[in-house]
């Protein structure tokens, strides 16, 4: 609009210069102007109008051109969403996943890492929780070090949580790769140099920042302390960084989580042995994690995992009732006392709101309703199952081909048995390798894996629409099976991990890494080959060919952090 105003003033000055007569009054100038030949007057008005019009066109043309690519992308995306929502659900994969891919490369204008001798000090991080909660803390620790221009010391892992796992960083992750892969982004060292420790008059300053703190908070409240003390420790570091960061920082998060945090070769080797032995025994097949501390996963026919948790601490944390009567309520209430801040909850209301994890039986019913056959091979990745074999029996009846990692790699697992985080890492690897990942909750492992699978090609990830499913499960005895199955499929639409379920700004960034997902041009006419189209139309229980799907996590209404 400034340009328009300038053009208008120019036209007025033109009229004034040609006909104004210098210091004469405005009335004289108007009379002088009106006395000119009619053709000259008309030509002057035409010129002024043309200049004004030219200014408006140039202003809005520039605006349209600068947003042309954005409008094109939105129209392409809208076309994809409209088409996909009209098609039947394929539980194995989405044919539109090929139009989305992970993109987290550092941009050329992203400044290099500050070297150790020039940094503002050394940042010590004490991650908390189980494996996946710690993984979130480590990822955010790298970004915080970048924000503070600090040298990051390899984070410490929690040894005092419920699981009492004394594994260190290098017991779980390839520490040398972690350091070297991030050299351009953040300077990382294994320990604070002895010369620095000797020069300190006081022990390292320790503080805990609020949850989801912004970069401004770190710069205003943390940086002054770091600069003054030179060594600073942040404790209980999990979900201590805001979801909403600028694009460069979000991409850094992705580089850390999806590339730099690699498990040790020993853990990776055991995990891949489990995957290979399952595939050798049954192609394809799914996996279920029925634990309630780490998230559970089920590996279904066609290398498909069903992620599911049913461990005692998870059940207690949820505040839900699972039909075990007074004995169950007393046991779970005792476990809940571990968390001082947990509120008193109404179990029935929590279930109606969709806050309760699905039981093993409910997971089995959901899978069968979606189309998974009784002959499907199920791999169960879990810790202690609440209720033991009695709880698992209904799932076994629905899926008799029921296996665990202990059945595939008992000898290889023996050295890892005392370490819950290393066992959880095996489950993580198996779930990450699956074609379809199904979870029963919105816990830490579910979020981390959902985001990773979205980034790694939108591999299919199914999460129950717990709010609607809870009503169906309560009334399933009152309806025919085909009616129940139809309703399950209907309420699961939008919770199957399709690309169009992506909702920018919703949920944890680790669950929806939108800044790290790019889209290719969409052409509906070329989305499928004839063979793929045929696969899409087949019923799940008749599908005997490997279907290597690629999709990610569905949207969940609530945003909770369950014990990992």
């Amino acid at each position: 609009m400034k340009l328009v105003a300038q053009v208008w003033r120019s036209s007025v000055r033109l009229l004034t210069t040609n006909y104004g007569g210098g210091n004469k009054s405005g009335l004289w100038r108007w009379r002088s102007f009106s006395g000119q030949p009619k053709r000259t007057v008309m030509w002057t008005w035409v010129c002024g109008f043309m200049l004004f019009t030219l200014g408006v066109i140039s202003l809005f043309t520039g605006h349209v051109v600068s947003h042309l690519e954005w409008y094109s992308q939105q129209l392409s995306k809208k076309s994809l969403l409209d088409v996909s929502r009209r098609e039947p659900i394929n539980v194995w994969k989405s044919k539109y996943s090929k139009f989305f891919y992970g993109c987290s490369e550092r941009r050329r204008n992203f400044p290099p890492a500050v070297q150790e001798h020039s940094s503002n000090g050394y940042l010590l991080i004490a991650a908390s929780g189980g494996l996946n909660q710690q993984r979130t803390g480590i990822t955010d620790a790298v970004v915080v070090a970048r924000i503070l221009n600090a040298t990051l010391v390899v984070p410490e892992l929690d040894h005092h949580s419920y699981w009492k796992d004394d594994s260190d960083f290098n017991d779980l992750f390839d520490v040398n790769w972690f350091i070297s892969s991030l050299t351009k982004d953040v300077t990382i060292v294994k320990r604070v140099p002895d010369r620095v420790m000797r020069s300190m008059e006081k022990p390292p300053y320790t503080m805990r920042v609020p949850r989801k703190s912004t970069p401004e908070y770190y710069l205003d409240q943390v940086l002054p302390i770091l600069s003054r003390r030179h060594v600073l420790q942040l404790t209980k570091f999990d979900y201590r960084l805001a979801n909403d960061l600028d694009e460069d920082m979000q991409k850094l998060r992705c580089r850390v989580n999806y590339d730099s945090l690699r498990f040790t070769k020993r853990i990776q080797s055991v995990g891949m042995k489990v995957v290979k032995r399952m595939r050798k025994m049954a192609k394809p097949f799914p996996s279920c994690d029925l634990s309630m501390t780490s998230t559970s996963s089920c590996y279904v026919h066609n290398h498909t995992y069903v992620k599911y948790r049913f461990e005692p601490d998870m059940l207690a944390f949820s505040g839900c009732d699972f039909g075990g009567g007074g004995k169950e309520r007393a046991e779970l209430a005792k476990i809940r006392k571990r968390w001082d801040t947990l509120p008193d909850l109404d179990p029935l209301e929590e279930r109606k709101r969709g806050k309760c994890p699905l039981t093993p039986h409910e997971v089995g019913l959901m899978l069968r309703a979606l189309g998974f056959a009784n002959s499907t091979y199920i791999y169960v990745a879990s810790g202690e199952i609440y209720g033991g074999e009695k709880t698992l029996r209904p799932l076994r009846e629905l899926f008799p081909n029921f296996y665990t990692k202990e059945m595939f790699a008992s000898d290889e697992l023996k050295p890892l048995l005392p370490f819950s985080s290393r066992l959880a890492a095996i489950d993580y690897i198996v779930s990450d390798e699956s074609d379809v990942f199904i979870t029963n909750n919105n816990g830490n492992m579910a979020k981390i894996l959902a985001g990773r699978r979205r980034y790694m090609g939108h591999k299919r990830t199914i999460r129950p629409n717990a709010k609607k499913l809870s009503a169906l499960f309560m009334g399933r005895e009152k309806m025919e099976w085909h009616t129940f199955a139809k309703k399950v499929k209907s309420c699961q639409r939008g919770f199957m991990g399709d690309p169009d379920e992506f909702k920018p700004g919703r949920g944890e960034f680790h669950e929806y890494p939108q800044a790290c997902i790019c889209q290719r041009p969409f052409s509906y006419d070329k989305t499928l080959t004839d063979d793929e189209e045929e696969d899409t139309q087949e019923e799940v229980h008749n599908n005997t060919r490997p279907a290597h799907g690629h999709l990610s996590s569905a949207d969940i209404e609530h945003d909770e952090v369950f014990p990992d």
Side-chain angles (χ1 to χ4, degrees):
M1 294 307 295
K2 289 183 178 180
L3 180 59
V4 174
Q6 291 173 356
V7 171
W8 175 253
R9 286 195 291 269
S10 298
S11 63
V12 173
R13 283 198 297 271
L14 176 63
L15 298 179
T16 304
T17 302
N18 290 339
Y19 306 108
N23 296 323
K24 302 289 185 179
S25 67
L27 178 61
W28 187 92
R29 288 196 297 271
W30 169 249
R31 288 176 176 173
S32 175
F33 170 73
S34 63
Q36 297 298 318
K38 184 175 181 180
R39 180 176 299 175
T40 304
V41 174
M42 292 298 295
W43 178 248
T44 302
W45 277 104
V46 170
C47 288
F49 180 75
M50 290 176 64
L51 287 171
F52 176 79
T53 304
L54 180 62
V56 173
I57 292 174
S58 63
L59 174 66
F60 286 98
T61 301
H63 177 76
V64 171
V65 169
S66 65
H67 290 78
L68 184 59
E69 183 179 355
W70 183 86
Y71 284 121
S72 176
Q73 291 175 352
Q74 295 305 306
L75 289 173
S76 172
K77 188 173 182 179
K78 187 174 185 298
S79 175
L80 185 154
L81 306 190
D82 290 342
V83 170
S84 66
R85 287 169 183 164
R86 292 194 299 266
E87 296 176 342
I89 295 175
N90 179 349
V91 296
W92 298 111
K93 61 181 178 179
S94 167
K95 62 185 178 183
Y96 301 103
S97 62
K98 66 182 70 176
F99 296 105
F100 299 86
Y101 61 96
C103 51
S104 62
E105 298 81 7
R106 65 194 318 274
R107 297 192 290 189
R108 292 182 178 179
N109 61 347
F110 194 54
V114 174
Q115 297 304 306
E116 183 178 355
H117 65 275
S118 303
S119 72
N120 289 323
Y122 293 89
L123 185 64
L124 302 170
I125 294 292
S128 65
L131 173 67
N132 299 288
Q133 202 168 334
Q134 290 176 346
R135 191 182 186 102
T136 300
I138 295 167
T139 298
D140 288 347
V142 174
V143 180
V144 169
R146 173 78 191 200
I147 292 170
L148 298 174
N149 280 334
T151 296
L152 177 66
V153 180
V154 172
E156 297 178 2
L157 303 187
D158 189 352
H159 295 164
H160 305 289
S161 65
Y162 173 74
W163 302 271
K164 307 296 182 184
D165 189 329
D166 60 359
S167 297
D168 291 322
F169 189 100
N170 58 355
D171 294 318
L172 286 168
F173 303 106
D174 186 336
V175 65
N176 292 326
W177 170 254
F178 177 72
I179 294 173
S180 62
S181 64
L182 292 168
T183 299
K184 295 181 179 180
D185 297 309
V186 174
T187 298
I188 305 175
V189 297
K190 293 183 179 180
R191 54 178 296 181
V192 178
D194 291 338
R195 58 177 176 77
V196 175
M197 296 298 291
R198 286 195 299 267
S199 66
M200 294 175 58
E201 297 179 357
K202 301 178 180 179
Y205 188 86
T206 300
M207 65 181 294
R208 186 191 302 183
V209 299
R211 290 177 62 84
K212 300 183 180 179
S213 296
T214 64
E216 290 73 24
Y217 178 89
Y218 281 98
L219 293 173
D220 295 340
Q221 304 297 325
V222 180
L223 181 57
I225 299 174
L226 175 64
S227 300
R228 185 169 65 251
R229 300 294 294 268
H230 208 57
V231 179
L232 172 65
Q233 182 179 46
L234 301 181
T235 62
K236 301 289 287 185
F237 201 82
D238 62 331
Y239 298 98
R240 303 291 163 174
L241 183 61
N243 283 317
D244 188 16
L245 305 177
D246 67 53
E247 186 175 348
D248 284 326
M249 291 302 184
Q250 300 287 50
K251 288 182 179 292
L252 175 55
R253 261 177 166 163
C254 294
R255 289 197 293 276
V256 178
N257 200 3
Y258 305 140
D259 181 54
S260 300
L261 275 180
R262 294 182 179 177
F263 292 116
T264 62
K265 292 181 179 179
R266 182 179 184 181
I267 291 176
Q268 191 71 25
S269 174
V270 176
M272 292 310 298
K273 281 182 180 178
V274 174
V275 173
K276 290 177 181 178
R277 289 171 185 176
M278 287 190 304
R279 288 177 175 167
K280 183 178 180 180
M281 187 187 68
K283 295 183 179 180
F285 61 92
S287 132
C288 277
D289 183 355
L290 300 178
S291 51
M292 237 8 244
T293 335
S294 72
T295 315
S296 35
S297 67
C298 304
Y299 194 31
V300 189
H301 199 49
N302 247 31
H303 318 308
T304 305
Y305 293 81
V306 178
K307 188 70 177 111
Y308 177 67
R309 297 182 62 182
F310 210 72
E311 295 168 349
D313 67 302
M314 180 67 182
L315 298 179
F317 190 90
S318 71
C320 298
D321 192 333
F322 298 92
K327 181 181 178 182
E328 175 192 283
R329 286 191 292 272
E331 291 174 349
L332 297 182
K334 184 177 180 180
I335 298 175
R336 280 178 65 83
K337 291 181 180 179
R338 295 209 319 265
W339 298 283
D340 298 330
T341 58
L342 290 184
D344 291 329
L345 300 172
D346 184 329
L348 182 59
E349 287 301 317
E350 291 301 293
R351 184 166 294 278
K352 289 180 178 179
R353 293 171 58 209
K355 301 289 186 177
C356 296
L358 270 60
T359 66
H361 187 204
E362 290 170 340
V363 168
L365 289 173
M366 181 185 71
L367 293 179
R368 292 297 301 272
L370 287 174
F372 293 102
N374 176 263
S375 59
T376 297
Y377 283 78
I378 295 285
Y379 169 82
V380 177
S382 68
E384 176 191 359
I385 301 297
Y386 184 75
E389 183 58 33
K390 180 180 178 181
T391 302
L392 288 177
R393 190 177 301 120
L395 179 60
R396 286 185 183 274
E397 291 174 355
L398 290 168
F399 296 97
N401 297 313
F402 189 93
Y403 298 91
T404 65
K405 59 180 174 288
E406 288 79 11
M407 297 169 67
F408 287 110
S410 58
D411 292 338
E412 293 87 344
L413 288 174
K414 285 180 181 178
L416 307 180
L417 292 178
F419 308 102
S420 60
S421 291
R422 299 181 210 184
L423 292 174
I426 304 299
D427 291 339
Y428 183 101
I429 292 170
V430 176
S431 299
D432 184 34
E433 289 292 320
S434 68
D435 293 294
V436 179
F437 176 74
I438 306 171
T439 178
N440 78 322
N441 68 91
N442 199 34
N444 300 315
M445 186 171 178
K447 290 178 180 179
I448 288 288
L449 272 170
R452 179 180 177 86
R453 292 171 66 83
R454 183 179 292 278
Y455 179 85
M456 296 295 183
H458 277 80
K459 294 192 290 185
R460 175 71 82 188
T461 303
I462 301 174
R463 296 213 209 160
N465 183 350
K467 187 173 183 179
K468 291 186 177 180
L469 284 177
S470 63
L472 283 179
F473 290 137
M474 289 179 184
R476 70 179 183 274
E477 301 296 339
K478 301 177 182 178
M479 63 184 81
E480 298 290 335
W481 173 255
H482 73 276
T483 302
F484 173 76
K486 183 178 180 180
K487 288 180 178 292
V488 168
K489 291 175 183 176
S490 176
C491 72
Q492 278 301 117
R493 185 175 291 276
F495 287 76
M496 301 292 290
D498 290 292
D500 63 331
E501 295 169 3
F502 181 77
K503 294 177 175 60
R506 296 200 51 189
E508 296 284 349
F509 177 80
H510 300 283
E511 181 180 8
Y512 294 100
Q514 59 265 34
C516 306
I517 306 295
C518 295
Q519 181 180 350
R520 298 184 179 93
F522 170 66
S523 174
Y524 178 63
D525 294 336
K526 298 180 180 180
T527 55
L528 289 179
T529 64
D530 293 339
D531 290 340
E532 288 174 320
E533 186 71 59
E534 183 178 289
D535 288 346
T536 301
Q537 295 173 354
E538 287 188 25
E539 291 294 327
V540 173
H541 59 271
N542 291 328
N543 190 343
T544 58
R545 290 163 292 179
H548 301 289
H550 300 280
L551 253 136
S552 95
S553 66
D555 180 63
I556 296 294
E557 292 290 326
H558 52 290
D559 176 26
E560 298 180 359
V561 179
F562 287 135
D564 200 4

